[in-house]
Amino acid sequence: MEVSKLNVYNTLSKRKEVFEPLNPPHVGLYVCGPTVYGDAHLGHARPAITFDILFRYLQHLGYKVRYVRNITDVGHLENDADEGEDKIAKKARLEQVEPMEVVQFFTDRYHRNMDALNVLKPSIEPRASGHIIEQQEMIREILEHGYAYESDGSIYFDVAKYNEDYPYGKLSGRVVDELLATTRELAGQQEKKNSFDFALWKKASPEHIMRWPSEWSDGFPGWHLECSAMSTKYLGKEFDIHGGGLDLLFPHHESEIAQSTAAHGHESVKYWMHNNMITINGQKMGKSLGNFITLDEFFQGNHSLLDRAYSAMTIRFFILQAHYRSTLDFSNEALQASEKGLERLMQAMSQLDKVKPSDVSDFSPAEYEALFYAAMNDDLNTPVLIAHLFDLSKRINSLADGREHLTQTDLDALKQLVHRFLEEILGLKTEEKKVDTTADLDGIMQLLLQVRHEAKLHKDWATADKIRNQLQALGFQIKDTKDGAEWIKS
Ligand code: ZN
């Protein structure tokens, strides 16, 4: 592997490849965003942070990145299938609001969570419902090329027909024969030629509220289509990187490849990248398991599986301490270890400001720089980078203690290096310690009452009265009790 260049693991070729953009210095990056019908949970944080690192690092390397991360606000049906209620519409029905109120509410909350995690905003954040025309246009192209068919007002992608001309399943490794044996016939699928065909356009039932007119029917687009249509619109028929969670590999991304190839006659994406899943205490996350912990619940410590609150930077650091392609298991112990680790790291780095320059250098910052780049160039290996940063933090402690020395030039270079990797690339920052004002105030009041109690024991009435009177002037009532005193704010 050439460590001087960025290598990324391509899910399509199933190996690491040197990253060569199609049209340097421009890079097109598309990542599947959330379906906004509920609060973001830990499973949303991982792709957001993984591709934030990629976005930051590509920009650091000098590329001009157009990062498109969509918002799914229509067409994502329950169970990710072609039948069932639209996830957004269902929430709207239950809450008795407009579907777009649901979308706005959870999009705003998603943005707030992403800001807390220090995830940079994408260059474009398109919504599926704002691109119905583009999706209809793509359906027409696929129909024209013979890879889709109409059935009672709905349009389905003809997987078997496509598979005659292009290899279907190249991303997920699923083959059509196998799919035929494993996909169940569900109610309503008699419309399809084959059970594995997927909807490009669905005719809306009378009670379905999210609907648009078309030459086929009043209806709505299939979930997979939006990403093909929006990536084409903003990044072109061929672009560099498509990312997302491994759970989207099949059928979502496999369908995207088929749609784009059927419409354009060729592959759209050069590098497919997928982050692995997060498990909770060794278990998959699932609605039935009740272990979807939302980010807000993490930040507030407000869930039965949480011992206490964890800050956004702790969550970010925890996610970065694993390679994005490994599974990551959440537990209270693991998060508390991350919290301590991050604190130790930030503490050591802040020591740099106290280091006095010397006439000689005991080591060169360039050694660390080479290690840092080698880690990032190896498919964004953030855990290895963090291990090197911990090694460096020991060196920084020695510098601060005067056991090792650096010249002014090397010291400046080291500060710049730490800033670049810790803040710019990993996106870590020192968090303001949350001040629990009620608890702090009680601590201070107890201290004052203790001093007053001791003054009284020494018959120092002047001090005892002064404390009581001045607290009273500030609105605190002091009540003497058998064992000392109590306070209330009046
Ligand atoms: Zn997508």
Side-chain angles (χ1 to χ4, degrees):
M1 199 186 76
E2 255 184 286
V3 293
S4 60
K5 285 187 177 164
L6 172 60
N7 285 248
V8 293
Y9 183 87
N10 190 345
T11 321
L12 201 56
S13 65
K14 289 165 189 64
R15 59 182 177 81
K16 284 184 203 170
E17 295 175 24
V18 173
F19 176 66
E20 307 270 14
L22 294 161
N23 181 27
H26 302 279
V27 172
L29 168 63
Y30 188 95
V31 173
C32 294
T35 304
V36 282
Y37 69 106
D39 273 333
H41 53 73
L42 201 54
H44 291 104
R46 198 170 194 196
I49 290 172
T50 298
F51 294 103
D52 183 53
I53 295 292
L54 179 63
F55 183 38
R56 286 167 179 269
Y57 192 56
L58 288 170
Q59 291 184 102
H60 170 73
L61 294 177
Y63 294 116
K64 297 191 185 315
V65 187
R66 183 178 296 164
Y67 177 15
V68 182
R69 190 187 65 204
N70 68 299
I71 293 282
T72 296
D73 62 354
V74 66
H76 196 170
L77 305 189
E78 287 180 297
N79 308 316
D80 302 350
D82 284 338
E83 295 301 323
E85 208 171 346
D86 184 294
K87 293 184 184 197
I88 309 264
K90 182 180 181 180
K91 184 80 179 170
R93 179 172 61 77
L94 295 173
E95 304 282 329
Q96 296 187 301
V97 295
E98 271 293 309
M100 283 304 132
E101 280 183 276
V102 172
V103 168
Q104 192 66 53
F105 181 78
F106 288 111
T107 302
D108 289 346
R109 288 170 71 89
Y110 179 74
H111 287 159
R112 198 169 38 83
N113 286 159
M114 292 306 113
D115 288 348
L117 291 168
N118 206 18
V119 167
L120 300 177
K121 290 173 175 43
S123 329
I124 306 177
E125 195 175 46
R127 285 188 186 181
S129 68
H131 298 75
I132 300 293
I133 289 169
E134 288 83 353
Q135 294 180 75
Q136 292 179 341
E137 193 48 48
M138 196 156 194
I139 295 172
R140 277 179 214 116
E141 283 172 336
I142 298 172
L143 276 170
E144 242 166 64
H145 297 163
Y147 299 110
Y149 56 90
E150 184 175 347
S151 179
D152 190 26
S154 293
I155 308 291
Y156 291 100
F157 192 90
D158 192 339
V159 173
K161 175 72 177 39
Y162 174 84
N163 194 48
E164 288 169 14
D165 302 333
Y166 302 101
Y168 178 80
K170 55 199 295 188
L171 188 66
S172 63
R174 310 231 185 163
V175 293
V176 166
D177 293 348
E178 205 182 298
L179 286 173
L180 200 53
T182 54
T183 45
R184 287 175 302 139
E185 288 289 344
L186 296 170
Q189 291 199 336
Q190 43 278 49
E191 286 188 354
K192 297 182 184 180
K193 284 191 196 168
N194 283 300
S195 55
F196 49 69
D197 290 346
F198 55 90
L200 299 174
W201 187 261
K202 284 284 284 181
K203 182 168 114 178
S205 56
E207 66 275 13
H208 196 104
I209 36 182
M210 301 177 83
R211 56 202 298 148
W212 290 264
S214 76
E215 60 263 49
W216 315 294
S217 62
D218 269 13
F220 56 94
W223 169 40
H224 313 308
L225 188 63
E226 60 175 275
C227 292
S228 289
M230 295 189 290
S231 62
T232 304
K233 179 173 171 99
Y234 297 112
L235 300 174
K237 289 180 180 174
E238 243 186 311
F239 63 96
D240 298 293
I241 307 172
H242 192 314
L246 208 49
D247 53 333
L248 296 178
L249 189 77
F250 186 88
H252 187 59
H253 290 161
E254 197 69 79
S255 305
E256 275 189 50
I257 292 179
Q259 290 164 161
S260 297
T261 308
H264 309 140
H266 59 79
E267 220 30 84
S268 288
V269 178
K270 191 168 180 193
Y271 306 93
W272 279 91
M273 293 176 72
H274 292 91
N275 65 276
N276 214 321
M277 298 292 99
I278 292 188
T279 52
I280 306 257
N281 297 317
Q283 276 192 312
K284 264 184 83 167
M285 283 194 284
K287 258 195 202 127
S288 54
L289 299 167
N291 61 3
F292 272 121
I293 311 177
T294 70
L295 292 170
D296 280 332
E297 286 167 339
F298 272 103
F299 302 159
Q300 288 149 20
N302 195 9
H303 189 283
S304 59
L305 289 172
L306 298 176
D307 289 350
R308 57 179 174 78
Y310 299 98
S311 75
M313 273 307 110
T314 300
I315 304 279
R316 186 174 177 104
F317 191 62
F318 168 69
I319 285 173
L320 293 177
Q321 276 184 300
H323 188 258
Y324 74 90
R325 286 193 293 117
S326 336
T327 53
L328 172 60
D329 188 46
F330 152 84
S331 66
N332 282 286
E333 297 71 41
L335 267 185
Q336 281 159 28
S338 287
E339 186 181 78
K340 281 206 189 85
L342 178 61
E343 214 173 279
R344 220 170 57 234
L345 193 62
M346 296 312 255
Q347 173 67 27
M349 297 307 173
S350 70
Q351 295 283 311
L352 259 180
D353 288 333
K354 297 181 192 157
V355 178
K356 301 263 180 302
S358 176
D359 297 337
V360 285
S361 285
D362 291 320
F363 65 93
S364 163
E367 293 166 32
Y368 287 93
E369 186 175 35
L371 290 170
F372 292 177
Y373 278 113
M376 284 304 289
N377 284 342
D378 183 11
D379 193 24
L380 311 177
N381 203 330
T382 55
V384 168
L385 170 60
I386 289 169
H388 291 318
L389 282 163
F390 272 117
D391 283 344
L392 175 62
S393 73
K394 288 179 205 145
R395 280 310 259 289
I396 292 174
N397 285 332
S398 309
L399 291 171
D401 294 351
R403 281 178 282 137
E404 287 194 285
H405 306 89
L406 284 184
T407 62
Q408 183 71 61
T409 312
D410 281 346
L411 194 56
D412 290 344
L414 187 61
K415 281 182 192 172
Q416 213 275 333
L417 183 69
V418 165
H419 170 75
R420 197 188 320 156
F421 278 86
L422 204 62
E423 291 169 40
E424 277 178 25
I425 294 171
L426 291 179
L428 296 168
K429 58 181 186 187
T430 313
E431 281 172 307
E432 298 280 316
K433 273 251 185 268
K434 251 203 197 148
V435 183
D436 185 341
T437 40
T438 324
D440 286 354
L441 181 61
D442 190 56
I444 294 164
M445 289 301 288
Q446 293 305 336
L447 179 69
L448 281 168
L449 295 178
Q450 181 67 27
V451 172
R452 177 167 171 267
H453 183 66
E454 282 165 20
K456 280 165 77 178
L457 288 178
H458 295 113
K459 302 198 189 312
D460 177 3
W461 309 115
T463 303
D465 288 347
K466 186 177 174 188
I467 290 172
R468 191 194 55 211
N469 294 341
Q470 297 210 350
L471 283 175
Q472 264 171 2
L474 292 168
F476 295 94
Q477 298 303 320
I478 308 302
K479 202 175 110 201
D480 287 305
T481 63
K482 227 173 31 197
D483 320 309
E486 282 173 357
W487 67 275
I488 48 162
K489 180 94 171 78
S490 52

